[in-house]
Amino acid sequence: GPQSRPPIASARRAAALALAAILAAGARAAAPSTDVFNVELVVFRYNGTIASPENWDEPAPEPTTATAAAATTAGASAPQPAVRPLAPAQFQLAGTEAALRRNASYEPIAHFGFRVVAGDRDSGSAVRVEPLVEGTSGLTGTVTLERGRFLHLALDLGYTTANPPAALLSGTAPAPVTFRIRQDRRMRPFERHYFDHPAFGVVAIVTPVAGAD
């Protein structure tokens, strides 16, 4: 009943406020004149009861077994767009990652970025994340940057873990399990954007590269 939820709800609100503080940043109103962008992502998992799907607007997707999820990486050998991995010295989200690490509610699992030419809307090429992250991160999938009237960043990411939040499992699920984020978001350059999911989340920033070849 309603009386049984305050501890979880309070934890959820506290975590949400902490995340809002981490993401707070001033907007830079600049219309990019380039097609070349740096794309940077910090991927993190949730710890504790805040990941309970009853506290989210959307229900948690059903997890899949790692074996079934492996089929989604079949396109890893497909031709990839020309990308240049970003060095840590080029990261804009180092402070965001550090703030997440200081909060026990979150655990960063990957921090990576790349430089790419934005494709046309609905025809951009997906960048696979496996070559850009540690194999132990459990992260697979693609990131796609497209440009029409606005910039759009599309994520299709899987996170495989042997110790998922118990609140997200319905009954007994084989371990490891894989959760997925499939979201397409309109992006404003220089601003941090948050992609959410009950099991894990992504903070992303897209930065125009002026004068790039």
Side-chain angles (χ1 to χ4, degrees), residues 71-114:
T72 65
T73 64
S77 60
Q80 298 295 297
V83 300
R84 182 187 306 174
L86 298 183
Q90 297 174 286
F91 286 168
Q92 304 293 311
L93 298 177
T96 297
E97 181 187 5
L100 289 166
R101 290 192 183 280
R102 290 193 297 268
N103 192 308
S105 297
Y106 309 107
E107 179 185 344
I109 56 177
H111 186 178
F112 63 98
F114 54 89

Side-chain angles (χ1 to χ4, degrees), residues 63-67 160-164 169 172-178:
T64 60
T65 65
T67 300
T160 301
T161 175
N163 60 334
L169 299 180
T172 301
V177 297
T178 298

Side-chain angles (χ1 to χ4, degrees), residues 28-38 116 118 145-152 186-191 206-211:
R28 294 174 57 182
S33 58
T34 177
D35 290 325
V36 183
F37 296 86
N38 287 343
V116 69
L145 182 67
E146 297 179 330
R147 184 175 184 177
R149 182 180 179 187
F150 304 104
L151 280 175
H152 284 259
R186 173 180 165 184
M187 303 288 288
R188 293 186 179 184
F190 305 105
E191 290 188 5
V206 175
T207 307
V209 180

